[in-house]
């Protein structure tokens, strides 16, 4: 799964309305009338990743400077090695965990089952 596919799956898990076009880069353009931001990418934004974790009621762990782990309820744990950047690893673990959650948005097929973290 590419990064943009993972971001789309994470957005779908929390029901965000968005558009994405190949020329727009790695962020999704939010289209809901009540959107509080214009672009959304939890892989790049600490605020977007934290909001995603809170909305999905995730458990997030930072393990002794080695790796970060995120777990959405009833979903597999997703681990990311820090590799020198614990914030980036934590954002990626949160986004991967969100991408495992079943879809809740009209942007994609509504009945797609969740994925295993290792599939992302």
């Amino acid at each position: 799964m590419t990064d943009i596919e993972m971001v789309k799956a994470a957005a779908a898990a929390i029901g965000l309305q968005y558009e994405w076009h190949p020329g727009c880069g790695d962020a999704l353009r939010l289209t809901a009338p009540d959107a509080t931001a214009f672009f959304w990418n939890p892989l790049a934004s600490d605020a977007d990743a934290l909001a995603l974790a809170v909305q999905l009621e995730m458990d997030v762990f930072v393990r002794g400077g080695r790796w970060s782990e995120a777990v959405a309820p009833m979903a597999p744990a997703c681990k990311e090695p820090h590799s020198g950047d614990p914030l980036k690893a934590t954002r990626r673990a949160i986004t991967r965990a969100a991408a495992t959650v079943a879809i809740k948005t009209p942007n994609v097929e509504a009945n797609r089952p969740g994925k295993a973290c290792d599939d992302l």
Side-chain angles (χ1 to χ4, degrees):
M1 178 177 278
T2 66
D3 283 355
I4 195 62
E5 289 170 335
M6 189 180 345
V7 169
K8 286 179 181 180
I14 59 172
L16 285 182
Q17 294 178 13
Y18 66 85
E19 293 178 344
W20 181 79
H21 305 283
C24 291
D26 294 330
L28 303 180
R29 182 180 170 277
L30 301 182
T31 59
D34 61 348
T36 58
F38 194 63
F39 290 104
W40 188 82
N41 184 347
L43 289 174
S45 165
D46 293 342
D48 291 345
L50 176 62
L52 181 59
V54 170
Q55 287 178 293
L56 291 175
E57 300 178 350
M58 283 187 192
D59 291 326
V60 179
F61 306 95
V62 180
R63 303 292 189 184
R66 295 182 309 249
W67 75 84
S68 291
E69 181 177 359
V71 185
M74 305 301 291
C78 294
K79 293 181 181 181
E80 282 293 324
H82 285 176
S83 301
D85 191 344
L87 288 173
K88 181 178 180 180
T90 304
R91 290 190 306 267
R92 188 166 201 74
I94 290 168
T95 306
R96 285 181 64 213
T100 68
V101 176
I103 299 300
K104 298 179 183 173
T105 182
N107 288 320
V108 293
E109 184 180 324
N111 294 321
R112 183 181 75 86
K115 291 184 175 272
C117 194
D118 292 339
D119 294 339
L120 302 175

